[in-house]
């Protein structure tokens, strides 16, 4: 394949602006997108957007929108990052590509919270660069609003050019014998009666399976538990979890930590090496930061950032388990819905049984308040390959001790954490007189 890469950033470079950085990349010989604009007003941005929304289909690569960035690089570090993205840049998406296809059937998915989600099974169709054969229908109200039925020809697009969604039905093409879809009264996985939930003064739109032993809820909960933002058990992917769950090797969270080599080795698709890798990954996950453990439990409405906020406020898992509704709503970023959900979760007898078996298997590393951590007020930059730590692991170790990790060296940098094959960051640190430390020295500071 004739693969070409557009370069947009030099990590750790000493540049005053995005313009300067792109021009430097061009001088170095990198392929840099010529179709860019240094705009001095939002009107210019809008005009550039409208022009490209008309001509984007004429390019030989897919374009789903523009990225608008602040030009001055010193503002980037000041603004920092959210949990998912930099605050110095934002995507401005084009209207989604729309296609038509046939709805073959409507199936039902049971999520880890027990929510029943109807899913449209579609005749495969190419949309926004990939073949789509499934799209969520969200809930009964959405199906009713669209009046979508099996056999219909439907209009499909990707919301944000990512998530497939049905937004219209061509009713003039509808088969004469079609029937309206009605949501089931019982869980398709375990047969339990479905019901709606009370959300404050309102009633939920979605139906829920309340059976704590529903196998579908178990499976989705286990997949969430081992995920990267949860326990981060790298070698236990979704397919492995499904296999081990189906044959009864994994029944709950704690059973993951009781897996033996003899349980795995010899199963179809699993040899000695894969068994060793899985067990090593599980062993590594036994020590987990508080915020990731909290997120891994899959407590309803509790997202990644909120888990971090709660972990920093309470500092220990025991304190979180004992927290009242009034304690939780005082935490910045934690609302009434999340507080109610956490109190309900830890007050549930089934949860207490799960945790009584799980907690002896792991060590939870408590968060440290920024004002009290050994790295309080210190800013690190990481470069090169560290001997035993990934960058994410080093970053987490710094942040839970009150420090900050920046992407580029500046006069505000306290230490450059140095690995093998360090790039321009080392030269920049030397120029500015920033102290460098290796992984061994870093660990000695913990």
């Amino acid at each position: 394949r004739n693969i070409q890469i557009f370069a947009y950033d030099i990590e750790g470079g000493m540049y005053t602006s995005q313009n300067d950085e792109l021009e430097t990349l061009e001088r170095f010989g990198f392929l840099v997108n010529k179709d860019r604009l240094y705009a001095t007003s939002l009107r210019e941005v809008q005009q550039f957007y409208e022009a490209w929304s008309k001509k984007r289909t004429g390019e030989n690569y897919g374009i789903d929108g523009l990225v608008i960035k602040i030009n001055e690089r010193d503002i980037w570090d000041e603004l920092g990052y959210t949990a998912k993205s930099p605050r110095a840049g934002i995507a401005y998406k084009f209207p989604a590509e729309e296609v038509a296809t046939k709805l073959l059937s409507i199936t039902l998915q049971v999520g880890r919270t027990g929510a029943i989600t109807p899913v449209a099974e579609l005749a495969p169709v190419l949309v926004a660069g990939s073949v789509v054969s499934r799209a969520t229908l969200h809930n009964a109200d959405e199906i009713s609003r669209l009046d979508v039925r099996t056999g219909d020809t439907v209009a499909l697009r990707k919301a944000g050019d990512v998530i497939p969604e049905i937004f219209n039905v061509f009713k003039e093409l509808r088969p004469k014998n079609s029937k309206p879809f009605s949501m089931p009264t019982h869980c398709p996985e375990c047969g339990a009666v479905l019901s709606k939930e009370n959300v404050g003064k309102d009633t939920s739109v979605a139906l829920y399976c309340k059976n704590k032993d529903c196998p579908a809820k178990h499976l989705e909960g286990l997949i969430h538990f081992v995920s990267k933002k949860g326990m981060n058990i790298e070698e236990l992917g979704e397919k492995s979890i499904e296999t081990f769950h189906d044959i009864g090797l994994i029944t709950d969270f704690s059973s993951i930590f009781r897996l033996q080599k003899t349980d795995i080795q010899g199963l179809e698709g699993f040899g000695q090496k894969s068994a060793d890798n899985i067990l090593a990954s599980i062993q590594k996950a036994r020590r987990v930061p508080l915020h990731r453990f909290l997120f891994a439990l899959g407590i309803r409405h509790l997202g990644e950032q909120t888990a971090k906020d709660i972990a920093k406020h309470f500092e220990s898992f025991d304190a979180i388990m004992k927290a009242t509704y009034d304690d939780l709503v005082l935490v910045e970023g934690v609302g009434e819905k999340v507080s109610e959900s956490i109190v309900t979760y830890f007050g549930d007898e089934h949860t207490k049984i799960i945790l009584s078996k799980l907690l002896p298997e792991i060590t939870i590393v408590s968060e440290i308040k920024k004002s009290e951590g050994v790295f309080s007020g210190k800013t690190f930059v990481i470069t090169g390959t560290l001997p035993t730590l990934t960058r994410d692991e080093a970053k987490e170790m710094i942040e839970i001790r009150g420090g900050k990790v920046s992407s580029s060296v500046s006069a505000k940098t306290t230490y450059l954490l140095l690995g093998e094959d360090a790039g321009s960051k080392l030269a920049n640190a030397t120029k500015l007189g920033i102290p460098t430390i290796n992984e061994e020295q870093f660990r000695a500071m913990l």
Side-chain angles (χ1 to χ4, degrees):
R1 298 180 183 180
N2 178 25
I3 297 175
Q4 295 176 310
I5 299 171
F6 285 117
Y8 291 91
D9 183 40
I10 305 174
E11 189 176 345
M14 297 291 285
Y15 304 100
T16 58
S17 70
Q18 174 73 14
N19 253 354
D20 179 29
E21 186 172 26
L22 294 174
E23 288 168 3
T24 302
L25 282 164
E26 285 180 312
R27 288 198 303 273
F28 287 170
F30 287 97
L31 182 63
V32 176
N33 202 319
K34 302 286 186 184
D35 298 304
R36 62 182 189 266
L37 170 72
Y38 172 50
T40 57
S41 70
L42 289 178
R43 181 184 292 276
E44 288 183 64
V45 172
Q46 184 63 26
Q47 289 170 343
F48 192 68
Y49 170 85
E50 289 171 0
W52 270 98
S53 65
K54 294 173 184 174
K55 62 182 181 180
R56 60 169 170 147
T57 54
E59 297 300 309
N60 61 0
Y61 56 89
I63 305 170
D64 64 357
L66 311 180
V67 175
I68 305 168
K69 296 180 182 178
I70 292 174
N71 193 39
E72 293 82 8
R73 289 305 297 261
D74 59 343
I75 299 177
W76 286 41
D77 281 342
E78 292 291 328
L79 291 174
Y81 290 74
T82 67
K84 296 182 180 179
S85 60
R87 293 192 178 97
I90 190 169
Y92 191 3
K93 297 284 190 176
F94 295 131
E97 178 187 342
E98 299 173 359
V99 298
T101 189
K102 189 171 284 290
L103 193 155
L104 305 177
S105 64
I106 297 175
T107 57
L108 298 162
Q109 277 187 346
V110 184
R112 61 184 172 82
T113 64
I116 308 298
T117 303
V119 176
E121 305 291 342
L122 306 165
V125 62
L126 182 67
V127 55
S130 65
V131 176
V132 172
S133 58
R134 306 182 91 210
T136 178
L137 288 167
H138 301 291
N139 51 53
D141 281 8
E142 180 69 1
I143 292 175
S144 178
R145 184 186 70 79
L146 290 168
D147 186 24
V148 63
R149 306 180 186 184
T150 296
D152 277 344
T153 300
V154 297
L156 182 75
R157 65 188 175 200
K158 285 185 181 178
D161 276 339
V162 177
I163 303 169
E165 68 171 3
I166 292 169
F167 66 95
N168 194 20
V169 176
F170 299 103
K171 293 178 182 174
E172 65 275 15
L173 302 176
R174 172 173 286 166
K176 292 181 180 179
N177 60 348
S178 71
K179 296 179 181 179
F181 178 82
S182 58
M183 291 292 286
T185 56
H186 292 75
C187 175
E189 294 291 338
C190 69
V193 175
L194 301 178
S195 61
K196 294 189 174 184
E197 289 190 346
N198 293 324
V199 184
K201 297 178 181 178
D202 302 318
T203 303
S204 67
V205 173
L207 288 169
Y208 288 85
C209 172
K210 298 297 184 65
N211 178 15
K212 291 183 172 66
D213 295 319
C214 177
K217 288 169 66 176
H218 274 179
L219 179 58
E220 292 300 321
L222 289 165
I223 291 169
H224 177 82
F225 182 76
V226 303
S227 66
K228 184 175 179 65
K229 293 179 181 178
M231 297 298 289
N232 192 24
I233 306 180
E234 296 171 348
E235 299 295 330
L236 265 185
E238 188 172 330
K239 293 296 182 185
S240 297
I241 288 288
E242 287 177 1
T243 299
F244 296 165
H245 179 264
D246 288 347
I247 62 177
L249 272 182
I250 293 178
T251 54
D252 58 13
F253 298 152
S254 63
S255 63
I256 292 171
F257 296 96
R258 294 194 297 271
L259 281 173
Q260 302 293 319
K261 188 172 181 178
T262 52
D263 296 328
I264 304 168
Q265 192 175 331
L267 294 175
E268 187 175 351
F270 296 91
Q272 180 178 333
K273 186 174 181 181
S274 58
D276 287 339
N277 289 341
I278 288 171
L279 293 176
S281 188
I282 291 170
Q283 190 64 28
K284 185 178 177 183
R286 287 183 185 273
R287 186 176 175 83
V288 60
L290 176 55
H291 72 272
R292 283 210 282 110
F293 178 67
L294 196 58
F295 179 74
L297 293 175
I299 301 170
R300 195 159 174 223
H301 305 307
L302 182 64
E304 181 190 4
Q305 186 57 50
T306 309
K308 288 181 179 179
D309 294 338
I310 291 171
K312 285 177 182 175
H313 182 88
F314 288 98
E315 300 181 50
S316 76
F317 186 64
D318 188 57
I320 295 170
M321 286 196 294
K322 293 175 181 176
T324 65
Y325 171 85
D326 291 337
D327 295 330
L328 288 160
V329 292
L330 291 175
V331 181
E332 187 177 350
V334 179
E336 296 177 3
K337 190 183 290 186
V338 177
S339 299
E340 285 178 4
S341 184
I342 292 171
V343 171
T344 300
Y345 178 84
F346 288 117
D348 183 80
E349 291 302 319
H350 185 67
T351 297
K352 292 175 182 177
I353 294 170
I354 290 171
L355 292 175
S356 68
K357 294 191 288 182
L358 174 60
L359 292 176
E361 301 286 349
I362 61 172
T363 300
I364 302 172
V365 182
S366 295
E367 314 288 325
I368 299 173
K369 288 184 177 179
K370 288 192 176 182
S371 59
E372 300 172 0
V374 293
F375 295 146
S376 174
K378 293 179 173 62
T379 300
F380 288 75
V381 174
I382 305 168
T383 186
T385 304
L386 299 173
T388 66
L389 293 172
T390 66
R391 287 199 184 193
D392 284 344
E393 287 169 340
K395 182 180 178 182
E396 196 166 75
M397 292 167 78
I398 292 165
E399 289 181 339
I400 65 172
R401 289 165 175 82
K404 178 184 173 184
V405 178
S406 177
S407 61
S408 59
V409 175
S410 72
K412 296 179 181 178
T413 305
T414 312
Y415 295 107
L416 178 68
L417 177 52
L418 200 62
E420 289 184 16
D421 301 322
S424 60
K425 291 180 184 178
L426 176 57
N428 295 334
T430 303
K431 283 181 191 176
L432 294 169
I434 305 299
T436 61
I437 56 172
N438 58 28
E439 184 182 317
E440 185 179 354
Q441 291 168 315
F442 170 68
R443 287 184 178 277
M445 297 166 72
L446 301 179

